[in-house]
Amino acid sequence: MNLRFLIIPYLIGTITAFAQPNPARPDLCQGAYFTEAEGAAALKTFTKTHHDRASWEARAKLIRQGLREGMQLPDKPKFAPLQPIRHSLKKMNGYTVENVYFESVPGLFVTGNLYKPLNVTGKIPAVLCPHGHTPKEDARFVEQTQQRCATMARMGAVVFVYDMLGYGDSKQTSHKIPEALKLQTLNGMRALDFLTSLPEVDKNRVAMSGESGGGTQTFLLTALDQRIKVSVPVVMVSAHFFGGCTCESGMPIHKRPTHQTSNVELAALAAPRPMILISDGKDWTKNTPDVEFPYIQGIYGYYGAKDRVENVHLPTEGHDYGPSKRAAAYRFLAKELKLDLNRVLKDGQIDEAPNKLLEPADLAVFDAAHPRPARAVIGDEAVMALLK
């Protein structure tokens, strides 16, 4: 963590009060959070900077520039040749699963699983699926991740789920390296390159959806890459909480010398592309129906597209990508990507019973038969040097 982002005050327009770092939580990085009242007040201040499409797009351009500069993201990243390796094809009930890796930045590999529908012909939609944080760094293998990928594939989408840094097979570096935000964004771009390179994928029907830290990855990549046509950030878009991990707010993307913003505006950069905010009552998205959603819907209104942004709020639920949240995502994706929801319905309800949960060993990208390439760069210092 670069401590200067915690102690150097930026001159931010007319905002007079910023959230202070929490000394009890040094893991919370720059711009980690406001109080709830400060977050709502900040949105009212941001509203003064735009009143129509033209003024919003001027602010949106500034925010996008701040994203790229804050991440130290080059305009044309020097990616390695993609050259994906796919292995261990498994035929399931209505879909297949493969284990995949490819190079992102030279010497760094993206690892994940590719889910594809059976008995579907022609060009079909695709969904990019980053996952959130889990205590055991096994998020790609857990039930909620496998369920959503399998069900989306049964609906007719090609789905790629990939590891966060330090998770699953992505063990070349620890998760909380100082530039985790930059590197995970680069990996997301490369994952999107891989997904859209598949000959069966309809590039005009590409969505992205993740929960928690994967929700952050979802709205950030959607903001930066117009290839994402539909955005489904789950339990993450908040006016007062910006993410408590270096992979979310560890670089100065919210506080810039020219402006201050929050995750609400970063998510709103999707406009007018379809988006659904899925929120709950037991985490930092508890105010979404009254605070975050109206602000974003107002921006969609500049495009005459208020009907393209939705909110499903589950006030009695907590922080996950559980069954009811998945159901909301499935129905939205079916509508916006023209997927076949009937393929996963039983008596009018989403039926995930046909999905078979696989063991981590079945989903592992690197094993004795498929070792990690010898050219892989290993260790935090070596990866940080690579990023420079």
Side-chain angles (χ1 to χ4, degrees):
M1 185 189 307
N2 192 330
L3 292 180
R4 74 177 186 274
F5 298 133
L6 295 177
I7 61 176
I8 298 176
Y10 284 96
L11 301 176
I12 311 293
T14 59
I15 297 179
T16 59
F18 307 135
Q20 298 301 311
N22 184 344
R25 290 290 306 277
D27 57 311
L28 296 178
C29 303
Q30 88 81 29
Y33 64 90
F34 289 128
T35 64
E36 291 181 41
E38 287 171 336
L43 288 185
K44 292 181 180 179
T45 302
F46 301 159
T47 301
K48 298 176 183 178
T49 66
H50 54 85
H51 59 276
D52 57 13
R53 177 173 172 174
S55 55
W56 163 249
E57 290 186 346
R59 180 164 175 82
K61 181 178 180 181
L62 184 68
I63 295 170
R64 282 196 178 94
Q65 182 180 351
L67 271 179
R68 302 194 74 95
E69 292 178 354
M71 287 186 200
Q72 303 171 21
L73 198 65
D75 290 334
K76 294 183 179 180
K78 295 181 180 179
F79 290 125
L82 199 59
Q83 298 178 337
I85 302 297
R86 297 162 57 177
H87 66 83
S88 305
L89 177 68
K90 294 164 282 291
K91 187 174 180 180
M92 315 299 284
N93 188 358
Y95 62 100
T96 62
V97 186
E98 294 173 81
N99 307 348
V100 180
Y101 71 90
F102 48 82
E103 216 162 352
S104 176
V105 178
L108 195 75
F109 292 88
V110 177
T111 51
N113 298 108
L114 181 68
Y115 293 69
K116 295 174 61 177
L118 288 170
N119 305 319
V120 174
T121 60
K123 293 287 188 178
I124 58 177
V127 185
L128 188 62
C129 287
H131 62 71
H133 298 88
T134 52
K136 295 183 180 181
E137 298 181 345
D138 60 352
R140 179 160 56 90
F141 311 132
V142 299
E143 188 258 356
Q144 67 176 13
T145 305
Q146 291 195 50
Q147 289 284 21
R148 66 177 163 118
C149 293
T151 304
M152 289 174 188
R154 287 169 51 215
M155 290 166 62
V158 179
V159 182
F160 183 62
V161 56
Y162 58 103
D163 288 317
M164 282 182 168
L165 300 175
Y167 281 66
D169 289 277
S170 183
K171 294 296 176 61
Q172 293 178 242
T173 180
S174 66
H175 182 64
K176 293 189 176 183
I177 61 170
E179 294 186 8
L181 175 58
K182 174 182 179 179
L183 185 49
Q184 287 196 166
T185 300
L186 291 170
N187 285 350
M189 290 178 172
R190 209 62 178 133
L192 188 57
D193 288 342
F194 164 67
L195 196 55
T196 56
S197 75
L198 300 176
E200 65 269 34
V201 167
D202 181 350
K203 295 180 181 179
N204 293 314
R205 290 188 289 164
V206 177
M208 187 169 181
S209 180
E211 82 287 3
S212 192
T216 300
Q217 291 184 65
T218 296
F219 61 70
L220 290 179
L221 195 57
T222 301
L224 293 168
D225 201 316
Q226 293 293 317
R227 291 178 294 174
I228 300 170
K229 307 302 183 184
V230 179
S231 183
V232 185
V234 178
V235 296
M236 194 61 225
V237 178
S238 169
H240 64 275
F241 186 70
F242 296 5
C245 182
T246 55
C247 78
E248 299 173 275
S249 55
M251 299 181 78
I253 61 172
H254 300 100
K255 296 180 182 180
R256 302 298 306 154
T258 53
H259 65 278
Q260 168 124 15
T261 188
S262 73
N263 284 346
V264 181
E265 290 197 305
L266 298 183
L269 294 173
R273 291 167 287 172
M275 178 169 65
I276 184 170
L277 308 177
I278 300 177
S279 54
D280 66 83
K282 296 182 180 180
D283 67 13
W284 43 85
T285 62
K286 63 182 181 180
N287 301 319
T288 295
D290 302 315
V291 177
E292 290 86 358
F293 180 62
Y295 186 90
I296 293 174
Q297 192 175 47
I299 290 168
Y300 272 73
Y302 295 152
Y303 296 86
K306 283 188 175 183
D307 60 335
R308 292 187 189 175
V309 62
E310 299 179 16
N311 172 221
V312 168
H313 187 67
L314 302 161
T316 64
E317 293 197 11
H319 190 72
D320 60 19
Y321 207 153
S324 51
K325 298 181 182 74
R326 296 197 297 270
Y330 299 152
R331 294 181 184 281
F332 188 78
L333 289 169
K335 178 181 69 171
E336 298 298 342
L337 297 181
K338 297 181 173 60
L339 293 168
D340 188 356
L341 193 65
N342 289 323
R343 291 165 65 104
V344 299
L345 291 180
K346 183 178 181 180
D347 299 326
Q349 301 298 316
I350 303 293
D351 181 19
E352 295 181 326
N355 303 340
K356 180 182 178 182
L357 299 183
L358 297 169
E359 295 298 322
D362 298 321
L363 299 171
V365 172
F366 299 131
D367 55 25
H370 308 91
R372 185 167 57 197
R375 67 182 181 278
V377 176
I378 306 296
D380 292 6
E381 290 187 8
V383 171
M384 286 292 292
L386 191 67
L387 293 176
K388 299 299 183 185

